[in-house]
Structures are given as structure tokens and as C-alpha cells.
Amino acid sequence: MLPNFIYGAFATEHLSDHHIPNMPLIRVQNASIAFGPTTVLDKVNLTIDSGARMALVGRNGEGKSTLLKIIAGEIVPDTGDIIASTGLKTAYLPQAVPVDFEGTAYEVVASGLSKVGQVIAEYHKESQRLGLGEELSETGKPLIDYLALLQDQIDASDGWSLVQKVEQTLSKMQISPEIEVSSLSGGMKRRVVLARALVSEPDILLLDEPTNHLDIGAVAWLEKYLATLNCALIFVTHDRKFLDSVANHICEIDRGNLTEWPSGFAEYRINKQKMLEVEAQQNALFDKKLAQEEVWIRQGIKARRTRNEGRVRALKKLREQQAARRKVVGQARMSVNQADNSGKIIFETDSMSFSHGDREIINRLSTVIMRDDRVGIIGPNGCGKSTLVKLLVGELTPTSGTVNRGTQLEVAYYDQLRATLDTQLSAADNVSGGRDTVEVNGTPRHIMSYMQDFLFEPSRARAPITALSGGETGRLMLAKLFLKPSNLMILDEPSNDLDIETLELLEALLADYKGTVILISHDRQLLENVVTRSFVYQGNGNFIDVAGGYEDFERERLTSKTLKPVFESELNQTPTNKDQKAGVTNASKQTKSVKSKQKSKLTFTESKELQQLPAHISKLETELSSLHQEMNKSDFYSDKVAADNAIKEAQDLQSRLDEAYSRWEALEQKAEA
């Protein structure tokens, strides 16, 4: 039986900006889907209302991404109904960063507006050529004539408002319109793709692991930005801080079933534990009754002659129910092979520097890491965190300065690129080196038994690693890492793709680890729960040594005049270049305007305005942050009128903040000129 896709069940006209609060946008009814013998989703029901902030949680492989794809219409369930409102706009961002986008960020974002978006992108590109003094278009036609033709097409489509929408979206998401998307990091590409989805003003935004491979600054920015959106949001993430900040409704997928928890993540976890305890009690009573009936059915011949046939049928039904019961998957059990203690000093650096070409990656770092320290390394993508670790362990040589290594070091190194895994071998052979047994703290164990500690059933343990999911590959890395006797553990981005339960087990293991830990991570909760000191990137190759984790650094930064926030590196390296934006005005007029600004000086009024702008921006940011905290509360949508007003106020504050930053940048550029 194929599923039914029914449109128009909830609305006769689709108005993306004017959905009635709590109006159902889409319903998933009794949807089931199986891959091979495994039923991933079993008669799942879910209603998504306008304004929803839903998080899908569950272990790796439970079907979270599959459900997102069903809602997006990318895959069809085996059975069930998908009922959507008329004209529903859905934007879906998959877990993997798309690699097929080419051109500038402006062109990619505008392509989210279908055919008129292509015309807008072409008009923008040719306007830039005119601004640079060129006379012919890429087609060989006179540039002025070609631009006039494109203007006519935009006029016919009533597309000038869409031009403004593209520019505003790029500005809000802090993306330079002229930067080539192919040159960006995975994190910035994800931001461009998100902008492309948002420019079409979807009714439902579906995000699959939006925080993967984003640095701390980018994740914090994304949290604030999502709070300002007026569409329904359904997302999957293993970032616990992100879950707490964004979601007010938890949808858990467990053993094929979906359970809704109308609360934030912290409250869900408390209630989930209570539910598991009740389920265990009920199963124990069920099993006790089944055991009694099995004893009865096996009594002597005399008893069988007089047995109650109704009781026999009831026993058969009990057996069927127990066979159909999907048991809770066991927890991973991790242990580490400990080596003898290292020396008291692990690493000592004196003015250690490292350069690559003209770029200073590490600048004159002097520090001492002692035995049993728990050190976090925090900074944006590409700032040199992995380079710092490689300098410490001796894989790289400093350009200048020195690094001294302690004695009796036994290093276990978790590589975020997973280069230590052999793609030609199975999962088990990668861990054991082809042997049937491994040694865990002096005790021999069969490799399959050890693999089950990391939730690998024999069939998955024998599978080639190319067939493993990201989460399984992460667990495989840990299984291999923990077999190596060590007293220094270096973990480079271990949280990528690991589910929440495995992350928490890793935290507990690191807390009990008798040795030194160096952790590179963008997971704020993991840093908070593991590290006792941190090296935090401050730009230009400089790392500072602070006590505690990321949250401790942020508290200190707010009261400091010298500490800088942890931003995504490309935000600092790539200016927004607002003078190159194409708008409704003629490109040649824009060029003249830019030239006239370069020749002018700041007036007295402008100088005074420039002095006052930082305080004004700080005030707007404080108001917006306070409003975001209110919007993230679990009962925010209980008063729909107040919720709508708060969302509009947040959007207004964000707009005023963008304008203030734009004005500040313009005045700074004018002052420098």
C-alpha cells in the first residue's frame, strides 16, 4: 500500500507570511518505512504547526534523517499519509554540505528564487562589470543594452523586491556577496546554502545536523539567527547546548516509534528517564507472567488433558508480543588501556612560532602543560588548532622558538580526518589488526565481544568501514584508540557525528582517565564537562591560556577590554564589501557614489556619530539577546499574540542592528580614506 500525499487539506490559499498561529502545516500519519529487514519508522504520527521549534533526537541510525526526508518529500514512506497545506514551501538542508554549487555567494543565494533568481543573479554580475568600466557583456553585447534587457525581465516578474530580499539575506547572514562559494570552508558553505533556503521564505525549514563542522562562533551566531525566523523549524543535532537554546519541543525516535515531549531538552531528559524506568517495570511484570504460563503449559499429561484452550491461546499471544517487542539497545561500554605514569611536565614551549608562507599560524606561544591537565583548544576553523597539537607532539617543527617534551609519554591520538583507518579492512580488522583477540587492561578478549562494547553487532563489525555511518566511524575510532596503552590522550574533534549518549559516555571516561587530556572541540558542553584550562585563539596566530572552558572564557571576556570573541575565521578575513551590491539603482550611479565617498572627509556630525555608534550597537545587541532568551523558553508560544509581537520586535531589532553595523563600517572606511 503506497502512501497518500494530500495537499490543500488545511488551507485554500497559501500566504507564507500570514499563517495562523498553531495552524497545522503538514501531518505525517501512520508513516512506516523499512530498509531491508529493519523497520526504521513504524506507524509514525507527527503534526507540524506554524511557529514550531522541534528537535528530532535519538541514537544514530534511528531514522531522524529519514523522517526529515519524508517531510521534505525527498523519499516516500512504504505506508501512511502525508497531508500538507496548499502551496507549502519547504526548505531542506541535508547533513552533507552540497558540492554542486558554483559561482559567487550572491548567485547561489539568488538561485533559490527559481527562474527570476537567475535573472537577478545575471543582472547583479553584469552590474559589477559595468561598475568596473567594462562595455561588453559576457555574451558580447553592449553592456548597457544587456542590462536594460535584464531590467525589463525583472520588471515583468515584479522582481525588484526579490533583489532587495537577496541583499538583506546576505547582509543578515554576514556573507560577502562576491566571494566564490567553491573557495569557502564547509562551515561557510553551509551558511550560504542556508541563506539560499531562507531567501525563498519557506514555511518549514528542515535542518539535518546544522552545527556539524561549524566552529563555536558560527554555532552561537546560528542560534541567535534561528530565533528571529518566522517559519516552523525542525532540526536534528547532537549539540546539547544548541538543543537547549533553540528547541522547545522534543520529538524522540526510539526503536521505530516517535514520542513527542512538549518541553525543552533538559526537561525531556528527566521525563525520558522516568519513562524508561516505568517501561522496565512493565516488561518485568510481563515477563514474569509469561514465565508462569510457560511453566503451566509444560505440566504433566494429566494437566494437558484438562488445560484451558483459552489460556493456551492467551499464552501464544504473549509469546507473539514478546517476540515483537523491540528492546532498548544496550549502552556502549568504554574502557581505556592505561600506560604507566608520564613525567611531571608533559610539554613546555618557549616563544614557539610556526609560519606557512607569509601567514603566522602560531605566534610566540610560551606555556607549560603538566601531568593530569585537561586542556581545551578553542578557535575558529582554520586558525591552527591541529597545527598546535602537531607541534607539541613533534609531527611539525617550530619555525622559531622551542618545544620540550616530557618523559615516558605514551600518546593516543584521535585524528578528526580519521587517516588511521584502512578503507580496505573491515571494522573489526581495523581495530584488532586482523587478530581474533585484543588485550584490554591485561585481559584478553575476543574482538567481537570488544566490538559489542562499542555497539557493533557482528554483522556491522565485519562490514567494510566504507559502509559505516559517520557515527559508527566515530565509535570505531574510539574503539581503536582506547586499545593503545596511553597516558596522554589527544582528541581532535571527537564529537563530530557521535550521538548524545556516546558523547556523555566519552565525557565520563575522560573524567576517570588517569593521564593528560588535550581536547580540540567546538562542542561547548563537552568542553565545559571535560577541560580545566583552555588555549583560546585571539587572532594573528595568538593563543591565550585561560582557566576553565568556553563558558568560563566568555564570562571573562564580557568583563575584559582586551579579550576577543571566538569568531569563524572567514568572517574576519572576508569583508562584506557592501559597495559592490547590485540594487534597483543603475550600476554606473553606484560607482560614482563610491568615488565621491572616497574623496570626502568626515564632517563634525559624522565624527560624533562614529563615536556614539559602538555604545548604540552594544545596547541593541543587549536588547536582542534578552529577547532571544525569552523566545527560547518552552512556554514562549503559549500566548500567540505576544509571541508574534516578540518575533516582529526581534526582526526590527535585527534590522536596526544591521543598519548600525553598516553605518559604522561606512564611517570607518570614510575616516580611513
Side-chain angles (χ1 to χ4, degrees):
M1 174 182 173
L2 292 176
N4 297 316
F5 284 80
I6 306 170
Y7 297 91
F10 302 135
T12 57
E13 183 179 3
H14 172 65
L15 299 172
S16 62
D17 291 331
H18 304 284
H19 277 297
I20 301 171
N22 259 358
M23 171 185 170
L25 298 176
I26 193 168
R27 283 180 182 163
V28 180
Q29 293 185 339
N30 293 319
S32 297
I33 190 168
F35 298 108
T38 304
T39 300
V40 177
L41 300 175
D42 188 9
K43 296 181 180 178
V44 164
N45 292 284
L46 180 65
T47 298
I48 301 172
D49 296 329
S50 57
R53 291 290 184 270
M54 292 181 169
L56 297 180
V57 302
R59 282 185 168 179
N60 292 330
E62 287 286 358
K64 303 184 296 295
S65 297
T66 300
L67 181 56
L68 283 185
K69 291 177 181 178
I70 288 174
I71 297 170
E74 293 212 347
I75 61 174
V76 179
D78 299 331
T79 61
D81 298 328
I82 312 299
I83 308 173
S85 59
T86 301
L88 184 75
K89 291 183 183 179
T90 301
Y92 168 59
L93 273 73
Q95 188 173 142
V97 179
V99 295
D100 55 347
F101 288 125
E102 297 181 352
T104 65
Y106 190 102
E107 292 166 352
V108 171
V109 172
S111 69
L113 296 171
S114 190
K115 291 183 179 180
V116 68
Q118 297 174 10
V119 178
I120 290 170
E122 182 71 7
Y123 178 80
H124 175 83
K125 181 173 67 174
E126 296 300 333
S127 295
Q128 304 308 305
R129 293 165 60 86
L130 183 64
L132 295 172
E134 299 186 27
E135 296 181 356
L136 296 178
S137 70
E138 289 186 348
T139 62
K141 298 178 181 179
L143 198 48
I144 293 294
D145 295 342
Y146 187 49
L147 281 171
L149 176 64
L150 293 174
Q151 283 180 338
D152 291 341
Q153 293 180 27
I154 295 174
D155 285 334
S157 303
D158 194 22
W160 292 114
S161 62
L162 299 179
V163 172
Q164 188 178 13
K165 191 179 297 182
V166 172
E167 294 174 356
Q168 288 176 343
T169 304
L170 286 164
S171 176
K172 284 183 178 180
M173 301 194 71
Q174 303 172 20
I175 300 170
S176 172
E178 305 312 321
I179 193 166
E180 288 290 330
V181 173
S182 59
S183 69
L184 297 176
S185 68
M188 282 301 291
K189 282 181 181 177
R190 191 180 293 273
R191 184 176 296 197
V192 173
V193 177
L194 177 59
R196 181 180 183 271
L198 293 175
V199 77
S200 64
E201 295 186 339
D203 303 301
I204 300 178
L205 178 61
L206 306 169
L207 303 176
D208 195 351
E209 294 288 1
T211 63
N212 256 13
H213 308 290
L214 291 186
D215 58 38
I216 288 178
V219 173
W221 173 88
L222 183 61
E223 286 177 2
K224 294 179 181 178
Y225 186 79
L226 292 178
T228 67
L229 297 183
N230 201 25
C231 61
L233 175 65
I234 298 92
F235 64 95
V236 174
T237 185
H238 297 144
D239 188 313
R240 291 158 289 176
K241 285 279 189 182
F242 189 84
L243 271 170
D244 273 330
S245 176
V246 178
N248 59 19
H249 193 108
I250 304 297
C251 300
E252 182 196 34
I253 302 179
D254 181 21
R255 291 162 284 167
N257 299 313
L258 186 143
T259 306
E260 295 188 57
W261 307 79
S263 65
F265 182 64
E267 187 177 345
Y268 145 77
R269 302 188 71 180
I270 296 172
N271 293 330
K272 169 65 176 179
Q273 186 58 40
K274 293 178 181 177
M275 191 203 78
L276 287 175
E277 291 171 0
V278 171
E279 181 181 342
Q281 293 172 359
Q282 292 174 341
N283 287 340
L285 291 173
F286 179 94
D287 293 342
K288 183 178 180 180
K289 181 178 180 181
L290 176 60
Q292 291 172 344
E293 294 302 288
E294 292 288 3
V295 170
W296 170 79
I297 199 69
R298 287 174 174 78
Q299 287 177 350
I301 294 174
K302 181 179 179 181
R304 287 204 297 273
R305 286 174 182 166
T306 59
R307 67 186 175 186
N308 185 325
E309 291 301 326
R311 192 172 176 181
V312 173
R313 288 192 296 271
L315 173 58
K316 290 180 179 179
K317 189 173 181 180
L318 288 175
R319 288 172 174 171
E320 291 170 358
Q321 289 175 353
Q322 188 190 49
R325 183 201 302 168
R326 296 182 67 174
K327 297 180 180 179
V328 178
V329 180
Q331 288 190 334
R333 298 181 297 275
M334 299 180 183
S335 60
V336 179
N337 275 345
Q338 294 279 170
D340 294 334
N341 285 342
S342 64
K344 189 173 182 180
I345 294 178
I346 305 299
F347 299 115
E348 183 175 6
T349 68
D350 183 15
S351 297
M352 182 183 71
S353 299
F354 183 81
S355 300
H356 183 74
D358 295 332
R359 184 187 169 200
E360 190 84 30
I361 299 176
I362 307 296
N363 183 29
R364 299 179 62 81
L365 177 65
S366 297
T367 191
V368 178
I369 297 176
M370 306 296 291
R371 184 176 62 213
D372 296 333
D373 275 354
R374 303 287 199 266
V375 181
I377 303 180
I378 303 172
N381 292 326
C383 74
K385 301 185 297 296
S386 298
T387 299
L388 173 55
V389 166
K390 290 176 180 179
L391 287 166
L392 293 176
V393 299
E395 289 187 20
L396 293 174
T397 303
T399 308
S400 63
T402 61
V403 53
N404 295 317
R405 299 171 189 91
T407 58
Q408 297 179 318
L409 292 182
E410 297 290 342
V411 183
Y413 193 167
Y414 183 105
D415 174 21
Q416 67 164 318
L417 300 179
R418 295 160 183 178
T420 58
L421 296 179
D422 188 340
T423 56
Q424 304 299 316
L425 300 178
S426 68
D429 286 345
N430 260 286
V431 173
S432 68
R435 299 186 301 274
D436 289 335
T437 60
V438 293
E439 191 169 290
V440 181
N441 287 321
T443 303
R445 291 188 60 187
H446 194 276
I447 181 59
M448 290 302 169
S449 171
Y450 178 72
M451 294 295 285
Q452 285 181 333
D453 286 354
F454 293 81
L455 303 182
F456 284 95
E457 294 299 322
S459 60
R460 299 304 289 167
R462 296 187 184 97
I465 65 169
T466 52
L468 302 182
S469 68
E472 288 175 321
T473 306
R475 292 202 307 273
L476 182 67
M477 280 287 294
L478 295 176
K480 183 175 182 178
L481 181 79
F482 294 162
L483 277 181
K484 177 177 172 57
S486 67
N487 50 36
L488 170 60
M489 190 174 297
I490 299 175
L491 303 167
D492 192 350
E493 292 291 353
S495 61
N496 284 342
D497 301 316
L498 291 183
D499 59 38
I500 291 172
E501 286 188 31
T502 307
L503 272 176
E504 290 178 341
L505 287 167
L506 176 60
E507 287 174 0
L509 181 144
L510 292 177
D512 295 335
Y513 180 64
K514 294 178 175 59
T516 308
V517 175
I518 298 178
L519 171 65
I520 300 175
S521 182
H522 298 310
D523 188 314
R524 293 161 292 175
Q525 190 72 51
L526 182 63
L527 288 165
E528 192 72 11
N529 294 343
V530 172
V531 307
T532 57
R533 58 186 287 206
S534 300
F535 296 154
V536 183
Y537 185 70
Q538 291 288 280
N540 300 319
N542 294 305
F543 283 85
I544 60 168
D545 192 346
V546 299
Y550 174 73
E551 299 295 338
D552 297 291
F553 165 75
E554 276 296 290
R555 283 189 288 269
E556 185 176 344
R557 183 184 69 81
L558 292 175
T559 60
S560 170
K561 295 182 179 180
T562 58
L563 296 180
K564 301 176 183 178
V566 182
F567 285 123
E568 186 167 14
S569 56
E570 286 168 304
L571 293 182
N572 294 329
Q573 295 170 4
T574 307
T576 307
N577 198 9
K578 292 178 170 53
D579 290 333
Q580 291 188 341
K581 288 183 179 178
V584 298
T585 58
N586 185 275
S588 61
K589 291 182 180 179
Q590 291 180 2
T591 307
K592 292 177 183 177
S593 173
V594 171
K595 289 179 179 178
S596 65
K597 286 181 180 178
Q598 290 175 343
K599 293 177 182 178
S600 62
K601 297 180 180 179
L602 285 180
T603 65
F604 172 78
T605 304
E606 288 173 332
S607 297
K608 189 174 181 180
E609 182 185 2
L610 182 57
Q611 292 176 351
Q612 295 173 344
L613 269 171
H616 177 59
I617 289 173
S618 178
K619 180 182 177 184
L620 290 175
E621 287 179 333
T622 301
E623 292 177 5
L624 189 59
S625 176
S626 177
L627 192 56
H628 284 166
Q629 291 177 4
E630 291 296 320
M631 294 169 69
N632 289 329
K633 292 181 179 178
S634 59
D635 60 349
F636 173 69
Y637 288 97
S638 59
D639 186 338
K640 300 306 175 186
V641 175
D644 285 347
N645 290 337
I647 290 172
K648 290 177 181 177
E649 184 182 352
Q651 291 172 336
D652 178 62
L653 280 171
Q654 185 66 55
S655 177
R656 289 162 58 193
L657 187 59
D658 292 339
E659 291 173 3
Y661 269 117
S662 178
R663 180 61 174 164
W664 191 17
E665 181 182 2
L667 291 176
E668 285 280 8
Q669 289 177 351
K670 192 173 180 181
E672 291 173 4

Short mmCIF file of all heavy atoms in Angstrom, two decimals, residues 262-287:
data_model
loop_
_atom_site.label_atom_id
_atom_site.label_comp_id
_atom_site.label_asym_id
_atom_site.label_seq_id
_atom_site.Cartn_x
_atom_site.Cartn_y
_atom_site.Cartn_z
N PRO A 262 6.54 17.88 24.77
CA PRO A 262 6.38 19.34 24.61
C PRO A 262 7.16 20.12 25.66
O PRO A 262 6.60 20.74 26.57
CB PRO A 262 4.87 19.53 24.77
CG PRO A 262 4.43 18.41 25.65
CD PRO A 262 5.33 17.24 25.32
N SER A 263 8.48 20.05 25.55
CA SER A 263 9.34 20.71 26.54
C SER A 263 10.70 20.94 25.92
O SER A 263 10.98 20.50 24.79
CB SER A 263 9.49 19.83 27.79
OG SER A 263 10.18 18.62 27.47
N GLY A 264 11.57 21.61 26.64
CA GLY A 264 12.95 21.75 26.22
C GLY A 264 13.73 20.47 26.45
O GLY A 264 13.22 19.49 27.01
N PHE A 265 15.00 20.47 26.05
CA PHE A 265 15.80 19.25 26.08
C PHE A 265 16.09 18.79 27.50
O PHE A 265 16.03 17.59 27.80
CB PHE A 265 17.11 19.50 25.33
CG PHE A 265 18.00 18.29 25.26
CD1 PHE A 265 17.60 17.16 24.57
CD2 PHE A 265 19.24 18.29 25.88
CE1 PHE A 265 18.42 16.05 24.50
CE2 PHE A 265 20.07 17.18 25.82
CZ PHE A 265 19.66 16.06 25.13
N ALA A 266 16.37 19.73 28.42
CA ALA A 266 16.72 19.35 29.79
C ALA A 266 15.54 18.65 30.47
O ALA A 266 15.71 17.61 31.13
CB ALA A 266 17.14 20.59 30.58
N GLU A 267 14.34 19.20 30.30
CA GLU A 267 13.16 18.59 30.91
C GLU A 267 12.84 17.24 30.26
O GLU A 267 12.42 16.29 30.94
CB GLU A 267 11.97 19.54 30.78
CG GLU A 267 10.73 19.09 31.53
CD GLU A 267 9.60 20.10 31.44
OE1 GLU A 267 9.87 21.26 31.04
OE2 GLU A 267 8.45 19.73 31.75
N TYR A 268 13.04 17.16 28.95
CA TYR A 268 12.81 15.89 28.24
C TYR A 268 13.65 14.77 28.83
O TYR A 268 13.18 13.64 29.02
CB TYR A 268 13.12 16.06 26.75
CG TYR A 268 13.71 14.84 26.10
CD1 TYR A 268 12.91 13.75 25.76
CD2 TYR A 268 15.08 14.76 25.83
CE1 TYR A 268 13.47 12.61 25.17
CE2 TYR A 268 15.64 13.64 25.26
CZ TYR A 268 14.83 12.57 24.93
OH TYR A 268 15.38 11.45 24.36
N ARG A 269 14.91 15.06 29.14
CA ARG A 269 15.80 14.01 29.62
C ARG A 269 15.35 13.45 30.96
O ARG A 269 15.44 12.25 31.22
CB ARG A 269 17.22 14.56 29.73
CG ARG A 269 17.76 15.09 28.43
CD ARG A 269 19.21 15.43 28.52
NE ARG A 269 20.02 14.23 28.63
CZ ARG A 269 21.34 14.25 28.71
NH1 ARG A 269 21.97 15.40 28.74
NH2 ARG A 269 22.02 13.14 28.81
N ILE A 270 14.84 14.33 31.82
CA ILE A 270 14.34 13.87 33.12
C ILE A 270 13.12 12.97 32.92
O ILE A 270 13.03 11.87 33.49
CB ILE A 270 13.97 15.09 34.00
CG1 ILE A 270 15.23 15.92 34.30
CG2 ILE A 270 13.31 14.63 35.29
CD1 ILE A 270 14.95 17.23 34.99
N ASN A 271 12.18 13.42 32.08
CA ASN A 271 10.96 12.65 31.84
C ASN A 271 11.24 11.35 31.09
O ASN A 271 10.58 10.34 31.33
CB ASN A 271 9.95 13.50 31.06
CG ASN A 271 9.45 14.68 31.88
OD1 ASN A 271 9.37 14.61 33.10
ND2 ASN A 271 9.12 15.77 31.20
N LYS A 272 12.22 11.38 30.20
CA LYS A 272 12.57 10.17 29.45
C LYS A 272 13.10 9.09 30.39
O LYS A 272 12.76 7.91 30.25
CB LYS A 272 13.62 10.53 28.39
CG LYS A 272 14.27 9.34 27.71
CD LYS A 272 13.27 8.54 26.87
CE LYS A 272 13.97 7.42 26.12
NZ LYS A 272 13.04 6.61 25.32
N GLN A 273 13.93 9.47 31.34
CA GLN A 273 14.47 8.50 32.29
C GLN A 273 13.35 7.87 33.11
O GLN A 273 13.35 6.66 33.35
CB GLN A 273 15.49 9.18 33.21
CG GLN A 273 16.22 8.23 34.14
CD GLN A 273 16.97 7.14 33.40
OE1 GLN A 273 17.58 7.38 32.36
NE2 GLN A 273 16.92 5.92 33.93
N LYS A 274 12.39 8.69 33.53
CA LYS A 274 11.25 8.15 34.27
C LYS A 274 10.46 7.16 33.42
O LYS A 274 10.01 6.12 33.89
CB LYS A 274 10.34 9.29 34.73
CG LYS A 274 10.97 10.20 35.78
CD LYS A 274 10.02 11.34 36.15
CE LYS A 274 10.65 12.26 37.20
NZ LYS A 274 9.76 13.41 37.52
N MET A 275 10.27 7.50 32.13
CA MET A 275 9.51 6.62 31.24
C MET A 275 10.23 5.28 31.06
O MET A 275 9.59 4.22 31.03
CB MET A 275 9.33 7.30 29.88
CG MET A 275 8.33 6.58 28.97
SD MET A 275 8.59 6.93 27.23
CE MET A 275 9.99 5.87 26.88
N LEU A 276 11.56 5.30 30.93
CA LEU A 276 12.31 4.05 30.77
C LEU A 276 12.20 3.17 32.01
O LEU A 276 12.13 1.94 31.91
CB LEU A 276 13.78 4.37 30.48
CG LEU A 276 14.11 4.91 29.09
CD1 LEU A 276 15.58 5.29 29.00
CD2 LEU A 276 13.76 3.88 28.02
N GLU A 277 12.17 3.79 33.19
CA GLU A 277 12.02 3.03 34.42
C GLU A 277 10.65 2.36 34.47
O GLU A 277 10.53 1.19 34.86
CB GLU A 277 12.21 3.96 35.62
CG GLU A 277 13.65 4.45 35.78
CD GLU A 277 13.78 5.53 36.84
OE1 GLU A 277 12.74 5.88 37.45
OE2 GLU A 277 14.90 6.03 37.06
N VAL A 278 9.60 3.09 34.07
CA VAL A 278 8.25 2.52 34.04
C VAL A 278 8.19 1.39 33.02
O VAL A 278 7.60 0.32 33.28
CB VAL A 278 7.21 3.61 33.71
CG1 VAL A 278 5.84 2.99 33.45
CG2 VAL A 278 7.13 4.63 34.83
N GLU A 279 8.79 1.59 31.85
CA GLU A 279 8.79 0.56 30.80
C GLU A 279 9.49 -0.71 31.29
O GLU A 279 9.02 -1.82 31.04
CB GLU A 279 9.49 1.10 29.55
CG GLU A 279 9.53 0.09 28.41
CD GLU A 279 10.26 0.64 27.19
OE1 GLU A 279 10.43 1.87 27.09
OE2 GLU A 279 10.66 -0.18 26.34
N ALA A 280 10.60 -0.54 32.01
CA ALA A 280 11.32 -1.70 32.53
C ALA A 280 10.47 -2.47 33.54
O ALA A 280 10.46 -3.71 33.55
CB ALA A 280 12.63 -1.24 33.17
N GLN A 281 9.73 -1.75 34.40
CA GLN A 281 8.84 -2.40 35.38
C GLN A 281 7.73 -3.17 34.67
O GLN A 281 7.42 -4.32 35.04
CB GLN A 281 8.25 -1.35 36.32
CG GLN A 281 9.27 -0.69 37.24
CD GLN A 281 8.70 0.46 38.02
OE1 GLN A 281 7.52 0.80 37.86
NE2 GLN A 281 9.51 1.10 38.85
N GLN A 282 7.13 -2.56 33.65
CA GLN A 282 6.06 -3.22 32.91
C GLN A 282 6.57 -4.46 32.19
O GLN A 282 5.91 -5.51 32.18
CB GLN A 282 5.44 -2.24 31.91
CG GLN A 282 4.66 -1.10 32.57
CD GLN A 282 4.17 -0.07 31.56
OE1 GLN A 282 4.68 0.01 30.43
NE2 GLN A 282 3.20 0.73 31.96
N ASN A 283 7.75 -4.36 31.60
CA ASN A 283 8.33 -5.52 30.92
C ASN A 283 8.64 -6.64 31.90
O ASN A 283 8.49 -7.83 31.59
CB ASN A 283 9.59 -5.11 30.16
CG ASN A 283 9.29 -4.30 28.91
OD1 ASN A 283 8.17 -4.33 28.40
ND2 ASN A 283 10.28 -3.57 28.43
N ALA A 284 9.10 -6.28 33.10
CA ALA A 284 9.41 -7.29 34.11
C ALA A 284 8.14 -8.04 34.53
O ALA A 284 8.15 -9.27 34.67
CB ALA A 284 10.06 -6.63 35.32
N LEU A 285 7.05 -7.30 34.72
CA LEU A 285 5.78 -7.94 35.07
C LEU A 285 5.28 -8.83 33.94
O LEU A 285 4.78 -9.94 34.16
CB LEU A 285 4.73 -6.86 35.39
CG LEU A 285 4.95 -6.06 36.68
CD1 LEU A 285 3.94 -4.92 36.79
CD2 LEU A 285 4.85 -6.97 37.90
N PHE A 286 5.42 -8.34 32.70
CA PHE A 286 5.01 -9.12 31.54
C PHE A 286 5.81 -10.42 31.46
O PHE A 286 5.24 -11.51 31.27
CB PHE A 286 5.22 -8.28 30.28
CG PHE A 286 4.87 -8.99 28.99
CD1 PHE A 286 3.60 -8.85 28.43
CD2 PHE A 286 5.79 -9.81 28.34
CE1 PHE A 286 3.27 -9.50 27.25
CE2 PHE A 286 5.46 -10.46 27.17
CZ PHE A 286 4.19 -10.31 26.62
N ASP A 287 7.14 -10.31 31.62
CA ASP A 287 7.99 -11.50 31.53
C ASP A 287 7.70 -12.49 32.65
O ASP A 287 7.78 -13.71 32.45
CB ASP A 287 9.47 -11.08 31.57
CG ASP A 287 9.88 -10.29 30.33
OD1 ASP A 287 9.16 -10.36 29.32
OD2 ASP A 287 10.91 -9.59 30.40
#
